[in-house]
Amino acid sequence: MKTLAQKFESTGPKRILALDGGGIRGALSLGYLKHLENHLRKQHQNDQLLLSDYFDMIGGTSTGSIIAAALAIGMSVDEIKQKYFELGTKIFGKKYKWFKIFEIDDLLKAKYDDKALVSELQNVFGDVLLGDQEKIKTALVIVAKRADTNSVWPLNNHPKGKFYDTEKGDNRSIPVWKCVRASAAAPTYFLPQSIDVGGDNSFAAFVDGGVSMANNPALQMLMVATLKGFPYHWSMGEDNMLVVSVGTGMTKWKRLPKKISKNTLLNWASSLPDMFMQDASWQNQLMMQWLSNSPTSIEIDQEVGILQDDILTDEPGRKKGLISYLRYNVILDVDELNTRFKPSKPYKQADIDDLAAMDNAKNCQKLFDLGYQAGEQEVKLSHFPDNFKI
């Protein structure tokens, strides 16, 4: 197996795993990841292989950052599943109490008390720092949004990073649990997270990375891996770069024109976050399909289709993309799920609305099972060419 230092190097084929945000729906991602782990173990004839062994970079946003960080410290999918289910039940179980006058200020800012979240993250990650070169097994990218500057921060553990251990910042010394807490500070759900990042303005306030264009962090992580401003400098090319992106389920936006025209200010306010997140996800999907000849491509819209004739390439005349790209996700829609999975008890819209909730911890097993069913159909050994074997 490669060492962490070898994974940081710019030579050889590189493999990136990017995990979406989506609250408790991260359980759905775990269903996919179980298949991914099984396939890679079969390919490498190693039933102990971990995703941190295979991938050179693992990262995520919000709930995706929790799973990504757990994978990066060498946990198996089964281990994470157990911890994740426990964590979900605890963190989405304790709301602020209206009668606690001393917490009234927090009550007006967040739905849930973050004490359980902090406690569980500390339990999982202990004293591991972002710069721990022994306990972290792969390049780790945790996507958060710095609220005081309105900028996306891909916190990462490369020792040559501009903010790793320099006058500009000291990301090296940030506890991993605190990085994850910052990425998962979903507005209205949890309070923002303050972190001492070093440098001139040492304290920074972070909110959930999902309120940026990087709730689906695949494109952001590709930029971290390849742009000159970051320290990795990995090479593009279909045979050089594999990006695997895993979602948390996406709802279908269905609104009748007559109903939209009657929307109130409150209706619009409650709909805007989902609208922005969907826009960001579709834009990421479009860009990644534009860069690749992906076997998992989906129709973006009726104008551009799946972009099969628009692939950006350094080899004109050939359908060979600048990266290899895989995207696994489930559309949370009544017709889609009933047609695709043919459940004994058909889904109704109320079931979909319940599954789509980002804070219903009772759905952990249902979401995992749904992701596992989808992974059974979608994740194929052929998606992982031999040139990306370790």
Side-chain angles (χ1 to χ4, degrees), residues 112-383:
Y112 292 97
D113 185 343
D114 75 341
K115 293 184 181 66
L117 173 60
V118 169
S119 176
E120 289 304 306
L121 292 178
Q122 290 175 332
N123 180 46
V124 173
F125 299 110
D127 59 357
V128 179
L129 303 179
L130 188 59
D132 195 319
Q133 302 290 301
E134 293 184 2
K135 294 179 182 176
I136 299 177
K137 311 297 183 184
T138 190
L140 174 61
V141 178
I142 296 173
V143 182
K145 177 75 173 282
R146 184 165 172 175
D148 53 317
T149 60
N150 197 37
S151 53
V152 177
W153 270 45
L155 295 155
N156 73 94
N157 62 333
H158 198 297
K160 293 184 179 179
K162 292 179 181 177
F163 299 94
Y164 182 80
D165 184 18
T166 68
E167 292 180 358
K168 294 182 179 180
D170 186 18
N171 292 353
R172 170 185 60 88
S173 300
I174 304 173
V176 167
W177 76 260
K178 194 170 282 191
C179 295
V180 171
R181 169 65 179 85
S183 180
T188 75
Y189 287 97
F190 298 106
L191 293 172
Q193 175 69 45
S194 293
I195 295 180
D196 183 353
V197 295
D200 295 333
N201 300 307
S202 60
F203 277 93
F206 289 91
V207 293
D208 197 296
V211 295
S212 71
M213 285 293 289
N215 187 60
N216 171 350
L219 182 60
Q220 178 66 56
M221 290 178 64
L222 179 62
M223 290 191 288
V224 170
T226 58
L227 294 183
K228 295 296 188 289
F230 296 102
Y232 296 87
H233 305 158
W234 293 350
S235 298
M236 300 274 269
E238 192 171 280
D239 298 325
N240 296 325
M241 181 75 68
L242 171 65
V243 181
V244 182
S245 173
V246 183
T248 59
M250 177 182 277
T251 55
K252 265 193 175 179
W253 193 262
K254 293 180 180 179
R255 297 291 187 274
L256 294 174
K258 288 182 179 179
K259 288 188 176 182
I260 289 178
S261 65
K262 294 179 181 179
N263 266 1
T264 64
L265 287 173
L266 188 59
N267 292 143
W268 281 114
S270 63
S271 299
L272 286 175
D274 195 24
M275 293 172 70
F276 291 148
M277 285 176 67
Q278 290 222 15
D279 284 347
S281 185
W282 280 112
Q283 185 72 1
N284 271 272
Q285 181 69 8
L286 184 150
M287 295 296 292
M288 297 301 282
Q289 286 187 195
W290 194 14
L291 292 168
S292 65
N293 183 20
S294 175
T296 62
S297 290
I298 60 172
E299 183 180 82
I300 302 298
D301 59 41
Q302 293 183 16
E303 283 189 305
V304 302
I306 66 170
L307 301 164
Q308 75 271 21
D309 296 320
D310 293 298
I311 298 167
L312 292 178
T313 179
D314 53 7
E315 297 187 33
R318 295 187 62 190
K319 287 188 177 181
K320 197 166 186 178
L322 294 177
I323 60 170
S324 290
Y325 170 63
L326 301 168
R327 172 67 172 172
Y328 304 119
N329 203 11
V330 177
I331 301 297
L332 299 176
D333 173 77
V334 172
D335 295 335
E336 179 92 12
L337 295 187
N338 285 333
T339 300
R340 182 173 175 183
F341 300 116
K342 297 178 174 55
S344 55
K345 182 183 178 182
Y347 287 97
K348 296 180 180 179
Q349 188 57 48
D351 300 320
I352 301 300
D353 294 340
D354 188 51
L355 284 173
M358 291 193 287
D359 60 347
N360 190 349
K362 294 179 180 178
N363 285 333
C364 276
Q365 189 62 54
K366 290 180 183 177
L367 288 162
F368 178 87
D369 291 343
L370 185 59
Y372 190 81
Q373 281 182 284
E376 205 164 27
Q377 296 179 357
E378 296 175 44
V379 183
K380 304 181 187 303
L381 196 55
S382 61
H383 289 173

